[in-house]
Amino acid sequence: MTAATHDTWIRRAEKLEPHGDHLIDGAGESGGGATFRAVSPRDGRVLAEVADGGEAEVDAAVAAARRAFDHGPWPRLAPAERGRILTRVADLLDENREELALTVSLETGKPISDAHDIELRAVVNTFRWYGQLADKLTDESPHTPHDALALVTREPAGVVGAVVPWNFPLTLAGWKIAPALAAGCTVVLKPSERSPLSALLLGRIALEAGLPAGVLNVVNGDGPVAGRALGLHPGVDVLAFTGSTAVGRQFLRYSADSNLKRVWLELGGKSPNIVLPDAPDLARAAATAAWGIFFNQGEMCTAPSRLLVHSSVAEEVTEAVVAHARALRVGDPLDPATQMGALAGEEHLARVLGHVDAASADGARLRTGGSRTLAETGGTYLEPTVFDRVAPDSRLAREEVFGPVLSVLTFDDLDEAVSLANDTEYGLAAGLWTSDLSTAHQLSRALRAGTVWVNCYEEGDLTVPFGGMKQSGNGRDKSAHALEKYMELKTTWIQL
């Protein structure tokens, strides 16, 4: 837990001087001189002028990554040495935890306690875990006829383009960068234009930890320009993306229009959270449902945005969720007591409010929230919002809001619960609350989701994979399985 007070974080924010240049081939680069403003959703304040990259900057970064891969030491280092450097990155991230957390909080609007205790813990653990895994990988030697020897080797895929969003800027960058580096690849990272500052700080810390120049490059810029240039670049071998389904489709098109690079997508979600009447603790189920949708301001692809409750306990559970929502402390992200901070910016707030208006127009009942709050601060804050009587075919039940807006739907039997849960184009995550072991197994298998949490939500560690089904994407982050995205299998057959 962060021990600093509200006043201490404010003073630190006033002294913060973030760097806005690209990081290419081990050095800061201003590029062509174009810039954009990094604005804090906390109060609308400009945090920094950030170098705005385009095709030229992406070309330079990819060229640096290609040289580092083709001629540099990184892919040729002993895996244990790569692991030691990644572990050193983890150590330095931990040593710089307060500056990183402050930067994340200011550029995303998330509470400083979450940035310090959750986001930084995740990225530190990610680099440490893959650092420790780097020399544990094995190749294969299948059984062959007596006059032949076969080897199946895992080799680094090459240059990786990683494009990550703003909601967890360091965690999601770490989930891409750490396994790619452990595999021996080099990386060009394109952070969201809403959260470039923490990514640039991460890049400089990695250099300080001993990562050779060109192995990790960071190019700022918006998606239609810098992201597109990275997606189309023939020098990129693998593209890993987390973000919206619409943009994921674009990256598949970029691959088809360029060098057929492998594209790994972690996309949107409209995750169901199913509460059965035999849940072991209805109060805890309701509290977890409220925490899940309002954590990180609801700006989370796995947010349990559809609460599916058995009709016999629907009012009891909904009342409890509403009570939690009304008690939630919305406020300054730099106050350690704040439980929900600011949404990512004016444009995003307007989009979420549009979903709120559409829900009312579609006949859903607003139980609490639904309005902008703390507008006098200059920040973009929204009240925790709960709708019930939500129709399964309504926009609120089907479209990803990416904000603190919960839709409550009811069902009468297990078949209806599964049908409602799976009635979505997404398949990222799901929750299930029951005391019956057979029900837990049967429904978990029936739910089309990459992760199913039973009697909990958002639990797990780096030992388990994360990713989606259907239009929530492909491939997996986390765990040893993430390395598969960044490695090639080569067969060598030797006739003896």
Side-chain angles (χ1 to χ4, degrees), residues 122-146:
V123 69
V124 168
N125 288 347
T126 297
F127 275 93
R128 183 162 288 128
W129 197 85
Y130 284 104
Q132 294 169 347
L133 181 66
D135 64 347
K136 311 299 189 300
L137 308 177
T138 58
D139 293 326
E140 303 169 24
S141 180
H143 288 189
T144 60
H146 73 280

Side-chain angles (χ1 to χ4, degrees), residues 132 203 254 263 279 286 461:
Q132 294 169 347
Y254 298 152
V263 176
D461 58 24

Side-chain angles (χ1 to χ4, degrees), residues 268-467:
K270 194 68 182 175
S271 300
N273 189 19
I274 304 169
V275 180
L276 300 178
D278 70 339
D281 187 336
L282 284 175
R284 186 163 67 89
T288 304
W291 172 85
I293 187 58
F294 301 130
F295 171 63
N296 209 59
Q297 302 72 246
E299 297 165 329
M300 189 166 59
C301 53
T302 55
S305 54
R306 292 186 297 147
L307 181 59
L308 311 184
V309 194
H310 192 275
S311 55
S312 66
V313 294
E315 186 58 28
E316 176 185 352
V317 172
T318 304
E319 283 284 356
V321 171
V322 168
H324 281 288
R326 290 173 175 165
L328 207 63
R329 181 167 177 169
V330 181
D332 184 359
L334 297 188
D335 185 348
T338 290
Q339 295 170 293
M340 199 175 91
L343 271 68
E346 291 287 350
E347 181 182 352
H348 184 59
L349 174 61
R351 179 181 174 277
V352 174
L353 286 170
H355 281 285
V356 171
D357 292 341
S360 296
D362 287 342
R365 179 173 65 168
L366 179 64
R367 295 293 297 265
T368 191
S371 299
R372 183 173 187 166
T373 186
L374 302 175
E376 70 279 2
T377 66
T380 46
Y381 300 86
L382 180 67
E383 296 172 333
T385 302
V386 178
F387 284 94
D388 67 358
R389 299 180 184 172
V390 176
D393 60 350
S394 67
R395 285 167 286 183
L396 186 62
R398 306 194 70 80
E399 297 178 7
E400 185 177 36
V401 176
F402 221 65
V405 182
L406 178 67
S407 58
V408 181
L409 299 86
T410 60
F411 61 88
D412 293 317
D413 56 48
L414 294 182
D415 288 341
E416 185 182 6
V418 172
S419 178
L420 282 172
N422 288 338
D423 186 21
T424 172
E425 65 187 23
Y426 299 111
L428 189 56
L432 171 63
W433 298 80
T434 179
S435 294
D436 188 276
L437 184 61
S438 293
T439 299
H441 277 295
Q442 291 168 358
L443 261 66
S444 296
R445 290 178 177 177
L447 294 172
R448 294 288 294 164
T451 300
V452 179
W453 289 289
V454 179
N455 296 331
C456 61
Y457 207 89
E458 289 295 342
E459 297 297 330
D461 58 24
L462 284 157
T463 62
V464 293
F466 173 80

